[in-house]
Amino acid sequence: MTGQVVHFEIPADDVARAQAFYREAFGWRVNEVPGMNYTLVSTTETDESGAVTTPGAINGGLMARQGPITAPVITIETEDIDTTLRLVEKLGGAVTLPRIAVGEMGFAAYFTDTEGNVVGLWENAVR
């Protein structure tokens, strides 16, 4: 199903400090992704494929605050990022960061909605 919120991102001025804060305050598990300057954050349990096992729960990430990502971002799943970005523009939003590959996992993009919020998009890689 698409249109679901599937991820969140929290930008940080000091990623190590943010990792410690969220780990200690909420018991989140943090795992740095080698070569990507990104930390995966587990707020809930996952199965072998990485899918969350608690209905309604999502996991997320921490990254350095930079560029247009200056506040927390929710990420919405879509079947086709390029089609979704065209629709966003048609409806008055704007592309903030175009589609980029995220390792072999899939693709991400960011848009700014009509209210000035930066929102992420996620498209799974075809397997």
Side-chain angles (χ1 to χ4, degrees):
M1 181 172 157
T2 61
Q4 292 182 322
V5 174
V6 295
H7 191 76
F8 65 85
E9 293 177 317
I10 300 173
D13 295 321
D14 182 329
V15 174
R17 181 177 63 207
Q19 289 172 345
F21 175 83
Y22 286 101
R23 185 175 36 248
E24 293 172 28
F26 301 105
W28 293 357
R29 292 178 311 283
V30 297
N31 298 297
E32 292 185 34
V33 179
M36 293 184 74
N37 295 321
Y38 196 84
T39 300
L40 288 174
V41 174
S42 296
T43 67
T44 188
E45 297 301 319
T46 58
D47 64 18
E48 302 80 34
S49 71
V52 297
T53 57
T54 305
I58 60 173
N59 289 320
L62 296 169
M63 72 244 205
R65 185 183 322 275
Q66 60 185 349
I69 312 300
T70 60
V73 170
I74 61 164
T75 301
I76 301 169
E77 185 177 41
T78 180
E79 289 182 8
D80 183 325
I81 282 179
D82 294 322
T83 299
T84 301
L85 289 174
R86 284 192 295 275
L87 179 59
V88 162
E89 290 180 309
K90 179 180 176 186
L91 296 173
V95 175
T96 305
L97 292 172
R99 181 180 193 257
I100 57 167
V102 179
E104 295 181 9
M105 298 177 288
F107 305 91
Y110 296 85
F111 68 90
T112 302
D113 70 9
T114 57
E115 307 311 304
N117 300 300
V118 175
V119 178
L121 291 173
W122 177 258
E123 176 186 332
N124 284 315
V126 178
R127 296 187 197 270

